[in-house]
Amino acid sequence: MSTEALTPDRILEATEEVLRRYGPGKATVVDVARALGVSHGSVYRHFRTKAALREAVTERWLEQAVTELAPLAEGPGPAAERLTAWLSALFAAKRRKAGGDPELFATYEVLIGESSAVVAEHVDHLVGQLARIIEDGHRQGEFAAPETGFTTTARAVFDATDRFHDPVHAAEWSAPDIDDAFAAVLALVLRGLRA
């Protein structure tokens, strides 16, 4: 048995490793407990069900993107530059995860499908960050006042750039012309916000 204190973070880290090794269809709470050197009951004291554990892993993974992007959303500077940096960082992070750890990325695609409430909350956070940038752009005189409000406009920007952050499009992210396609969509979005 492990002498290191069992914490939710340790359990989530071990769960990621187990998911990477076995995939979402075969990974069990017993596998996670074994990797930690504890009983499966110890894992259940922190996460009451396997579904709760899988949801927590998904939430943790998605939250990393929100945390990485927060300084771009909240920082100083011209809104158009921040928006460009934010969308570019989101695309780069998704591409890095898809290419750098394809097994875990594929696992998260499955887990995301199981955790619609977690995904909806994640998207709301990202749209909130975009709304802040767009609102700042309006205050700075860079962007026109949106007819539908900042949040609705932010959601439209998020949806318009879907090809560059939704895992369903991951196979396209290594295409030779993907960076040109991204630049074209970004230019179109910025023109639309300035109109």
Side-chain angles (χ1 to χ4, degrees):
M1 290 289 175
S2 174
T3 57
E4 194 176 339
L6 188 63
T7 63
D9 280 341
R10 272 194 66 221
I11 294 169
L12 294 175
E13 287 169 12
T15 303
E16 281 187 1
E17 287 305 313
V18 167
L19 287 166
R20 183 180 286 115
R21 189 174 319 137
Y22 301 115
K26 295 182 181 176
T28 67
V29 174
V30 172
D31 294 326
V32 173
R34 189 177 303 120
L36 290 164
V38 301
S39 71
H40 66 281
S42 297
V43 174
Y44 281 125
R45 278 195 275 287
H46 291 274
F47 299 96
R48 297 185 59 80
T49 65
K50 179 180 177 180
L53 178 58
R54 290 163 71 102
E55 188 171 284
V57 167
T58 305
E59 185 173 19
R60 179 178 183 215
W61 187 66
L62 294 173
E63 187 58 33
Q64 289 172 355
V66 173
T67 302
E68 287 175 24
L69 295 168
L72 298 169
E74 298 163 7
E81 290 177 16
R82 287 170 43 217
L83 181 63
T84 298
W86 191 95
L87 290 169
S88 297
L90 178 61
F91 184 31
K94 295 289 181 134
R95 241 194 323 201
R96 189 173 53 251
K97 287 179 180 180
D101 197 346
E103 295 84 10
L104 194 57
F105 190 79
T107 294
Y108 280 117
E109 285 185 275
V110 172
L111 296 180
I112 285 169
E114 297 173 357
S115 303
S116 59
V118 170
V119 173
E121 185 176 330
H122 169 68
V123 169
D124 286 347
H125 284 140
L126 294 177
V127 168
Q129 288 181 349
L130 282 171
R132 177 168 181 172
I133 295 170
I134 293 167
E135 187 172 359
D136 287 352
H138 173 64
R139 270 200 308 274
Q140 295 166 356
E142 289 183 69
F143 299 151
E147 295 176 17
T148 57
F150 296 111
T151 301
T152 301
T153 301
R155 182 60 195 234
V157 169
F158 189 78
D159 291 344
T161 58
D162 181 74
R163 179 179 181 203
F164 309 102
H165 56 77
D166 189 324
V168 74
H169 298 286
E172 300 172 36
W173 297 343
S174 58
D177 64 343
I178 195 68
D179 291 320
D180 291 338
F182 176 73
V185 170
L186 182 58
L188 184 65
V189 165
L190 289 170
R191 274 196 307 275
L193 290 170
R194 289 176 175 135

